[in-house]
Amino acid sequence: MTVKRPDVLVVGAGVIGCSIAYALVKRGASVTVLERETPGGVTSRAAAGMLVPTAEGLPAGPLLDLALQSLAMFPSLAAAVLEEGGVDVEYSRSGVLLPAYTDEVAEELRARANSGQDGSQWLSRAEALEREPLLAPSLHGALFQPNEGHVHPVKLTDGLTQAAARRGAAFHFGVEVDGLVRQGDRVVGVRTGGIERHAGAVVVATGSWSGALARWAGVAVDVQPVRGQMVSLRVVPQPIRSVVFGRPGYLVPRRDGTLLLGASQEWVGFENRATAGNLAMLLEAGKRLVPVLEQATFLATWSGLRPGSPDEAPILGPVRGLEGLALATGHFRNGILLSPVTGELMAEYLLHGKAKPLAPFSIERFGERKPTKG
Ligand code: GLY
């Protein structure tokens, strides 16, 4: 059995797959999205939603350029998703504050501010406490980056899904892809159970699960799951205004008064569960940054699996020897941040062949790939 052939079939309905689907339907393409789990996939729903390339310390070069390009897209994307998808994604340019509690960190952060490269400012202790009065007062000062902020990752993913669906994208949930349909070097679709689903092009946007391409076509995709555990708390009133990015631990204030506290970084395979040890570690980190969190109401803890590539940059674009197939995976700690630009660049590549902006993120940077014969 085969089903109606879309221009593009996207495997994975996390934020990356949904962003690609939305960018494609905006350009008039017909799109089908297949997701093994429920809407939003697994990892995007676990994210904190920080939009903080400075705080994440992305090195100057193609990844930082991509991140800044994507960051600049959020105001218009948020407006479009509200209008077309009916979802307020809670985009906030709250700024991000990196407090320094040791001389060493203060020196490093002050040097970054003094380099004047990214518009971040060094705040004295008094200035930092004026901005965030409930920070632990022993800080030496802080780096403040006013241009960055956060978004609600679940609302962003859901909003992109709604907006894409309203423009005609078809979403199928609980559908697992178990192989590619190939004609020689060309990928012409995917197999799900007994069904062949043909498409003009196939995009693999399955995050930590992208390694399945090795089973499907003998191509190793260099992505490992990197577990991140999160906590949510409530303190009334909300104790911070900006994202606070400590070492360890970060805090993200949500509009509904929830405070997110993240995150562990663990290489434990696909073991997607929250542990008592990490919960204790995160609560301690949060309390050290903002002591009133000792009195916070504990709401929940959960975990997600970041798709980590060897150089922590995404893997985007074609795979030589598998014409008609493209990858959009490996976004590691920055999937939410990079979702708008990934959607736009992938759509331009898939529909208009514009491959150049994707070149720095090619899978071939990790070595040549030789698919098995189709
Ligand atoms: N972007 C934050 C994290 O991955 O924990």
Side-chain angles (χ1 to χ4, degrees):
M1 176 186 159
T2 59
V3 295
K4 190 171 165 288
R5 179 185 181 280
D7 296 326
V8 182
L9 195 154
V10 180
V11 187
V15 73
I16 297 298
C18 291
S19 183
I20 295 169
Y22 177 55
L24 285 167
V25 289
K26 265 195 323 188
R27 289 166 171 77
S30 62
V31 180
T32 293
V33 183
L34 303 180
E35 167 58 50
R36 183 173 69 171
E37 305 284 340
T38 46
V42 176
T43 305
S44 305
R45 305 195 87 79
M50 288 188 296
L51 307 174
V52 293
T54 301
E56 289 283 354
L58 299 184
L63 176 57
L64 180 60
D65 295 347
L66 192 75
L68 294 175
Q69 200 184 336
S70 206
L71 181 67
M73 291 176 175
F74 270 91
S76 59
L77 181 69
V81 169
L82 180 60
E83 191 183 324
E84 296 190 28
V87 178
D88 181 348
V89 301
E90 298 185 17
Y91 165 67
S92 167
R93 193 163 162 246
S94 63
V96 55
L97 188 134
L98 288 74
Y101 284 97
T102 65
D103 285 335
E104 204 185 342
V105 174
E107 202 174 311
E108 180 203 317
L109 295 179
R110 199 184 283 115
R112 275 170 66 179
N114 289 344
S115 77
Q117 278 168 358
D118 59 11
S120 57
Q121 310 149 13
W122 174 253
L123 304 183
S124 66
R125 176 176 176 276
E127 288 166 336
L129 288 172
E130 194 179 333
R131 172 154 279 283
E132 293 295 354
L134 294 180
L135 281 177
S138 59
L139 80 171
H140 298 210
L143 187 74
F144 184 65
Q145 167 52 268
N147 301 325
E148 303 182 359
H150 56 97
V151 69
H152 196 303
V154 177
K155 293 187 179 184
L156 176 64
T157 310
D158 289 347
L160 286 167
T161 305
Q162 293 299 334
R166 287 184 192 180
R167 281 186 180 254
F171 284 81
H172 300 284
F173 301 105
V175 175
E176 180 153 11
V177 171
D178 42 39
L180 301 176
V181 183
R182 293 169 67 181
Q183 287 170 0
D185 280 356
R186 174 154 280 279
V187 174
V188 296
V190 300
R191 205 166 279 112
T192 61
I195 301 177
E196 282 193 0
R197 297 174 185 266
H198 289 198
V202 172
V203 179
V204 177
T206 49
S208 289
W209 291 268
S210 306
L213 196 58
R215 282 199 310 281
W216 299 346
V219 169
V221 179
D222 312 77
V223 171
Q224 295 288 329
V226 184
R227 184 166 73 185
Q229 299 188 39
M230 296 285 304
V231 172
S232 61
L233 304 172
R234 191 180 299 280
V235 199
V236 180
Q238 179 68 274
I240 52 169
R241 286 192 290 159
S242 22
V243 172
V244 173
F245 199 97
R247 299 184 186 187
Y250 56 73
L251 296 162
V252 183
R254 281 260 177 281
R255 198 186 282 173
D256 68 355
T258 308
L259 186 64
L260 299 188
L261 170 50
S264 66
Q265 190 161 290
E266 307 158 82
W267 283 259
V268 291
F270 287 92
E271 212 183 305
N272 195 6
R273 66 189 179 91
T275 62
N278 264 284
L279 175 59
M281 182 278 284
L282 287 172
L283 292 174
E284 183 59 31
K287 208 172 62 183
R288 278 177 189 233
L289 288 169
V290 175
V292 296
L293 294 187
E294 174 112 76
Q295 294 304 319
T297 304
F298 173 78
L299 296 178
T301 185
W302 64 92
S303 66
L305 298 174
R306 306 177 185 92
S309 71
D311 59 4
E312 304 185 354
I315 301 170
L316 306 175
V319 180
R320 207 183 289 259
L322 290 176
E323 300 308 314
L325 182 126
L327 294 170
T329 185
H331 292 74
F332 191 42
R333 295 177 61 95
N334 295 294
I336 303 296
L337 169 63
L338 293 172
S339 58
V341 76
T342 299
E344 293 295 314
L345 295 185
M346 290 297 293
E348 285 298 307
Y349 165 65
L350 291 159
L351 300 180
H352 306 301
K354 291 189 188 161
K356 205 166 158 206
L358 301 178
F361 307 103
S362 162
I363 191 169
E364 292 198 354
R365 71 188 189 272
F366 304 123
E368 197 189 343
R369 293 292 181 275
K370 285 209 173 102
T372 50
K373 289 276 167 230

